[in-house]
Structures are given as C-alpha cells and as structure tokens.
Amino acid sequence: GAVVSQHPSRVICKSGTSVKIECRSLDFQATTMFWYRQFPKKSLMLMATSNEGSKATYEQGVEKDKFLINHASLTLSTLTVTSAHPEDSSFYICSARDPLQGRGINEKLFFGSGTQLSVL
Amino acid sequence: QKEVEQNSGPLSVPEGAIASLNCTYSDRVSQSFFWYRQYSGKSPELIMSIYSNGDKEDGRFTAQLNKASQYVSLLIRDSQPSDSATYLCAVNMWNQAGTALIFGKGTTLSVSS
C-alpha cells in the first residue's frame, strides 16, 4: 500500500520558537493532503486541507497565520507551527489521498505516523 | 455543522464476547464511512470501510450502515485483549475544499481476559 512518511515523530521546543513538520508521500503523488491535530483522549480534529500548488483551506477556528501549510510539490506538505506556545502541544497527523487507489467514494486515505509536539 | 458522534466509553467486554460500537453522523449526503483503530500515541489504522446500506463482514469485524438513520456501527466478534484500543468512526464529508474525513471522538474498548 501507499506510504506516508511524517517527520519528526517527536519534538520538544521552547515557547516562542517555530517548528516545522514534514509529510511526504513516498510512492505516490498526493494532490491533496490533510493535517489533523489530536489532544489527549480527544478525536482527530481536521485543521486544514492542502492542495498541491494552491493555498491551504483552513477549518473554522484554525489560525492560518499560526499554522502555516505549504504544499509545493506532489509529494511534500509541511506544517509550520509559528511562535509555538504550550497550548499548541498536541499530536499532529498528516494524511494523503492516493488518487490512483480508488475513485470518488472509494478514494483511500493514508496516514503519517504522527508528530508529538511538546512546547515548554 | 459537520459532526460525527460516538459514545466515548469506555466499553468493557470480556474476552470472547461481542463488542458493539456505534456512530451517528450529521451530513445526509455522505457516501463513505470508515472505522479506524488507534493506539495511544499512534496514527489511526483502517479496519473497515463501508459505502452501501447493510452489513459488510471482514473476519471478526462487521460494519453496518443505515443511511436513512445516519447510523454506522462496528461489531467485533470473539473479542480479544489485543482488540483493546480506541475505535474511531470517520465519515467523508463535503467541505469548502472538496471532501475530507471527519472523525468522531472515538470509543475506548477494553477487553478483559
């Protein structure tokens, strides 16, 4: 199956610094990638949808200036948490669609392994 | 508001019993429904997908879909301690960017030996 690689798996940073998380589709071209965040014992909350070559579409309540998303190529999307604060500490997960594996309602979504961000 | 609702549990069943997990969703036009299993600190793992009304069986797992009632369920037969995890219901919903997978908050299942 398709593989999505996410790095780093864990990052600890000081308050006020910026952190970049990478999400790569290794064996397919991902025209669309999604970014989720998950607080402990809570569900995955969709943050934004990222289409290659265009601006990301953010969900209501997600600060686009805080969470910068770049999807400059068909295999790489990045999420940068700018000026991180302790309340940004969370588990961030990316996912990508492989348009060649299923069409329409049968489209498959592949997940990265997640990034645990801890802001001190 | 696009929502997927699940009972957070915990749901506790003895080994060998049937575990029943339920989910309702708000978007009537949704066509794709998924059950994921997630262990703490890990990304979700797809267990089942279902697109048509009725039952779909895969080994010990059966997904049930009723679009009229906007209801999806997952049955786990012969539950094993290794099935203990959080089970996430996910529904493909339309948003301004196209479609996206919206997750419920998950049901924690505990299978005791």
Side-chain angles (χ1 to χ4, degrees):
Chain A
V3 177
V4 174
S5 174
Q6 185 174 343
H7 292 281
S9 58
R10 181 178 295 273
V11 58
I12 301 172
C13 69
K14 292 182 179 179
S15 186
T17 60
S18 294
V19 175
K20 180 185 282 189
I21 303 170
E22 290 190 350
C23 181
R24 293 180 184 272
S25 55
L26 297 187
D27 50 2
F28 67 99
Q29 293 186 328
T31 53
T32 304
M33 289 187 173
F34 303 89
W35 287 95
Y36 292 85
R37 68 185 297 184
Q38 186 176 34
F39 292 107
K41 300 188 186 301
K42 300 292 185 184
S43 184
L44 279 78
M45 296 294 295
L46 180 65
M47 298 176 68
T49 302
S50 169
N51 291 304
E52 185 268 336
S54 62
K55 290 184 179 179
T57 302
Y58 290 80
E59 294 299 301
Q60 191 174 8
V62 177
E63 300 174 62
K64 55 185 68 176
D65 294 332
K66 173 80 171 170
F67 299 100
L68 301 179
I69 293 172
N70 184 287
H71 192 165
S73 79
L74 285 170
T75 59
L76 173 65
S77 177
T78 60
L79 166 67
T80 301
V81 183
T82 62
S83 187
H85 287 92
E87 58 265 30
D88 298 325
S89 299
S90 185
F91 190 54
Y92 293 87
I93 307 176
C94 71
S95 65
R97 277 200 186 116
D98 181 356
L100 297 183
Q101 291 203 35
R103 296 273 182 192
I105 65 170
N106 294 317
E107 278 189 327
K108 291 187 183 299
L109 204 63
F110 299 92
F111 284 84
S113 55
T115 298
Q116 182 64 54
L117 171 63
S118 299
V119 184
L120 305 178
Chain B
Q1 185 77 8
K2 310 289 189 182
E3 291 184 342
V4 179
E5 299 285 344
Q6 287 182 261
N7 187 329
S8 60
L11 173 65
S12 298
V13 300
E15 184 175 359
I18 296 175
S20 178
L21 306 163
N22 305 311
C23 171
T24 58
Y25 59 95
S26 63
D27 190 353
R28 284 194 162 274
V29 301
S30 294
Q31 297 291 316
S32 313
F33 308 88
F34 306 86
W35 283 98
Y36 285 83
R37 178 171 59 199
Q38 187 181 29
Y39 296 106
S40 181
K42 304 293 184 183
S43 63
E45 169 195 8
L46 181 64
I47 299 174
M48 294 278 290
S49 59
I50 187 166
Y51 310 110
S52 304
N53 280 329
D55 296 358
K56 179 182 177 183
E57 187 174 318
D58 184 0
R60 295 186 296 112
F61 299 97
T62 299
Q64 299 173 317
L65 173 61
N66 183 327
K67 291 183 182 178
S69 301
Q70 295 173 233
Y71 173 87
V72 194
S73 67
L74 179 71
L75 299 178
I76 306 174
R77 290 181 300 281
D78 188 23
S79 296
Q80 301 297 308
S82 57
D83 294 328
S84 299
T86 297
Y87 289 81
L88 302 171
C89 173
V91 179
N92 214 7
M93 292 188 181
W94 287 97
N95 64 9
Q96 54 186 326
T99 60
L101 210 54
I102 305 300
F103 286 85
K105 60 183 177 181
T107 299
T108 301
L109 173 65
S110 176
V111 181
S112 55
S113 56

